[in-house]
Amino acid sequence: MVAGALILFFYGIAVWLRGGAQFWSETRQTLQKPGGTKAFLTALGAVLGLRYLNGGGPGCFIRNERPSAARRIYHSLTFWGLTCDFISTTLALIYQDIFHLLPPYALGSAPVIFGAVGGVALIVGTGGLLWFKTQSDPDPAGVGAKGMDYVFLVTLGSVALTGMLTLILRESSAMGSLLVLHLAFIAALFSPRRTGNLCTPVSHARPDSV
């Protein structure tokens, strides 16, 4: 199980790196020279704080409603939920392979706490983003982007849901089946997908949409 997961993990990283290199190559004429450590830290802070998901200040508009920060909150829950689950998995690896403490771990242990918090945050975050997706104006989205958004959010939410069910029912006869289902969704999440051009031409974007 570990060998298969590692192969899938490094394969996913290789695909992401290839995509990043391709993006850099295709946009090299519009990118400025790197700004050093300061620019990197500024960009990192913007990513961790989801700075550019505030809709220009008041929040995102959902059709004709007032601007709201709800979408940014759901994005934050999704991002930090995934981060907590990554920490949980890393701690479980340390517990098992370094400290030789075999699972299942106590409910008060660090891997379980981080995993439970991350799982709940992911379920709420992806569920909220899916709801907002159904209410959003589809016109500014790139070709094929909407379908990929749904696939990603549903898969990520399913990973969290099956993970939480595996934790809740870990002492029942359903645990084995739920674990297999959970690992299958993780494999699907890391499987690379390609569509057509996901970029929306600027001339087609509406100025009143976020």
Side-chain angles (χ1 to χ4, degrees):
M1 186 173 70
V2 173
L6 286 175
I7 292 173
L8 186 63
F9 176 74
F10 286 113
Y11 176 68
I13 289 179
V15 172
W16 291 340
L17 290 175
R18 181 179 179 275
Q22 183 178 359
F23 172 79
W24 183 275
S25 175
E26 292 176 353
T27 59
R28 63 184 181 276
Q29 295 181 357
T30 61
L31 294 177
Q32 298 179 354
K33 295 179 63 176
T37 304
K38 183 178 180 180
F40 173 77
L41 293 177
T42 300
L44 182 62
V47 171
L48 295 178
L50 302 179
R51 181 184 305 168
Y52 298 106
L53 291 179
N54 60 3
C60 292
F61 288 87
I62 304 299
R63 294 194 180 275
N64 296 324
E65 297 181 5
R66 294 181 178 179
S68 170
R71 175 174 283 173
R72 187 182 186 189
I73 293 174
Y74 287 125
H75 270 290
S76 298
L77 287 172
T78 302
F79 175 80
W80 289 109
L82 187 60
T83 301
C84 285
D85 283 344
F86 176 78
I87 293 174
S88 172
T89 304
T90 303
L91 289 174
L93 174 67
I94 295 173
Y95 275 37
Q96 177 173 310
D97 294 340
I98 296 180
F99 298 142
H100 303 292
L101 299 174
L102 298 180
Y105 302 115
L107 295 178
S109 63
V112 174
I113 292 175
F114 275 102
V117 171
V120 172
L122 273 176
I123 292 172
V124 176
T126 54
L129 290 176
L130 280 170
W131 183 84
F132 274 109
K133 186 67 63 178
T134 63
Q135 306 299 311
S136 299
D137 185 355
D139 290 342
V143 178
K146 185 176 181 180
M148 291 300 298
D149 287 346
Y150 278 113
V151 170
F152 176 75
L153 289 173
V154 170
T155 305
L156 185 57
S158 299
V159 168
L161 180 60
T162 54
M164 291 300 297
L165 289 176
T166 302
L167 173 63
I168 294 171
L169 302 175
R170 64 180 181 174
E171 295 184 359
S172 70
S173 58
M175 190 272 185
S177 299
L178 287 171
L179 179 59
V180 171
L181 186 62
H182 177 60
L183 295 176
F185 277 116
I186 292 177
L189 180 65
F190 280 90
S191 298
R193 309 174 188 89
R194 290 186 61 88
T195 61
N197 180 19
L198 298 184
C199 298
T200 302
V202 176
S203 59
H204 292 174
R206 290 173 49 183
D208 60 340
S209 59
V210 177

